[in-house]
Amino acid sequence: MSATLNRAVGQATSSAPSSPSFGTLARVVLRLHRGALLTWVAVVVLVGAELVWLRAEGMSVVPDEPRDCGGRLDCLPTEAVAEPDFALHLYLSGWAVPALLCAASVAVAAWAGGALTGAEQERGTAALAWTQSVSPRRWVAAKWGVAGALLVGGVGALVPLYLWSRAVPYMSVSPFDDWTDWLVFTASGPVAPALFLLALTLGAYVGLLLRRSLVALAVSAGAMFGVVQGLPLLIPHLWPADRVFGWEMGAAPARAWVVSEEAVDAQGRAVSMDGCYRESDALIRQCVEAKGGVGFETVYHPVSHAVPLHLAETALILALTAALAFAALRLLRRRTP
């Protein structure tokens, strides 16, 4: 009789379903979201092709003789500004392409909230998957892992192409290579892929939290739009800035990111400049001194701070991403056995 019982237990154990591998889960995720996958591949290919073409347009611009522009936008002659290749390259590389990347991050958050997690929670397909020997955390990890790898891989390929498309001769002799513009800054380093990871995690967390696809889509898109608009306000304060004090206005070096420039008193407090904008520096100084000012303090980031600022913002974004991922896992633990 004991042999019969042992045989029955062995048969039950051998018939128990095994948990699918991560590769199997990844294939299921790709099959479920193949429409989004094809859309993302098309976006990356089209933007990459545009950047290659943009490089050719920029190379066709013949730069003027090198000169000390001092960061002035009127340094180049009006003929160069009106040149079609110059204007097109400047518009697309300085605004259109980085704005598209930022808008795409908002779209990713909306998709993650509406389709990646929100729709499955609403329809109950996630619960069905969890009954097929797949734990909730493993299923969500597979979805985030596959989507995150595709997003980071795509954006990681576009960032070097974007930098290459801007590395043209006329940029080196003009003030238009403005690294302080927040759109250009975002698209020019590791901030861009980190931003897409944050968008994915934010949308997925909102979808898990609200469990309604349309509501999660709207909330995720709105929250990510707020993040994209709010992060540039923090960038200059993520790394210690340089300071220069004196009576010279505009004392920051060329191409520096000027955080503030104001008149201060002996205690370092700001002095109002109302009514002090005169036709000469001497009259401006007299007006400021009459109000108790002892000079101008300029706070700025030189070009050498570009890399530390990129790394600091990337670290901040990844920290927010990790916090959201942790919150999502805690939420799953509370809702599932």
Side-chain angles (χ1 to χ4, degrees):
M1 183 173 180
S2 61
T4 305
L5 288 176
N6 290 336
R7 186 164 51 251
V9 171
Q11 291 174 353
T13 304
S14 61
S15 62
S18 60
S19 179
S21 65
F22 185 84
T24 302
L25 293 177
R27 288 192 293 272
V28 172
V29 171
L30 292 175
R31 190 178 303 116
L32 285 174
H33 301 283
R34 57 183 175 273
L37 170 64
L38 294 176
T39 302
W40 176 242
V41 171
V43 168
V44 172
V45 171
L46 290 176
V47 174
E50 180 187 5
L51 291 175
V52 173
W53 171 80
L54 199 58
R55 165 78 177 193
E57 287 293 308
M59 292 296 292
S60 65
V61 178
V62 179
D64 291 339
E65 292 296 326
R67 64 186 74 185
D68 183 13
C69 291
R72 302 193 314 274
L73 293 180
D74 59 351
C75 178
L76 292 180
T78 56
E79 292 79 6
V81 177
E83 185 179 347
D85 292 340
F86 174 87
L88 183 62
H89 185 273
L90 189 62
Y91 168 75
L92 292 177
S93 68
W95 186 84
V97 172
L100 176 63
L101 286 177
C102 290
S105 68
V106 177
V108 166
W111 168 78
L116 189 65
T117 56
E120 288 193 352
Q121 296 288 310
E122 186 175 19
R123 298 169 186 168
T125 54
L128 177 63
W130 298 343
T131 63
Q132 308 300 315
S133 301
V134 181
S135 69
R137 286 181 291 276
R138 195 155 181 258
W139 175 241
V140 170
K143 296 173 75 69
W144 284 355
V146 172
L150 291 172
L151 289 171
V152 171
V155 181
L158 292 179
V159 169
L161 275 177
Y162 176 70
L163 294 173
W164 178 67
S165 71
R166 288 178 60 86
V168 294
Y170 87 84
M171 281 286 189
S172 62
V173 295
S174 76
F176 293 101
D177 188 13
D178 186 11
W179 71 276
T180 68
D181 181 86
W182 72 271
L183 284 173
V184 175
F185 183 88
T186 300
S188 299
V191 171
L195 195 65
F196 275 75
L197 272 182
L198 176 61
L200 173 67
T201 309
L202 173 63
Y205 172 68
V206 172
L208 290 172
L209 180 66
L210 301 180
R211 294 190 283 189
R212 294 292 183 272
S213 57
L214 290 179
V215 177
L217 184 150
V219 172
S220 300
M224 193 61 202
F225 181 79
V227 170
V228 170
Q229 294 295 319
L231 278 175
L233 303 177
L234 299 177
I235 296 173
H237 309 288
L238 296 176
W239 192 259
D242 291 348
R243 299 172 183 268
V244 60
F245 181 81
W247 282 107
E248 180 184 359
M249 296 189 69
R255 303 185 64 221
W257 187 329
V258 178
V259 180
S260 65
E261 186 176 36
E262 57 188 4
V264 295
D265 59 16
Q267 285 74 39
R269 296 172 298 189
V271 175
S272 174
M273 290 286 293
D274 292 341
C276 291
Y277 294 100
R278 308 293 176 81
E279 58 272 12
S280 68
D281 292 341
L283 292 177
I284 294 176
R285 177 172 178 173
Q286 290 177 6
C287 179
V288 172
E289 286 180 332
K291 293 186 175 185
V294 295
F296 296 104
E297 184 181 52
T298 303
V299 181
Y300 67 93
H301 289 286
V303 180
S304 59
H305 285 190
V307 173
L309 286 171
H310 265 290
L311 296 178
E313 187 182 8
T314 302
L316 174 62
I317 293 174
L318 292 179
L320 292 175
T321 303
L324 284 172
F326 178 76
L329 292 177
R330 290 291 300 271
L331 181 64
L332 278 175
R333 183 174 299 177
R334 289 200 304 268
R335 286 183 176 175
T336 56

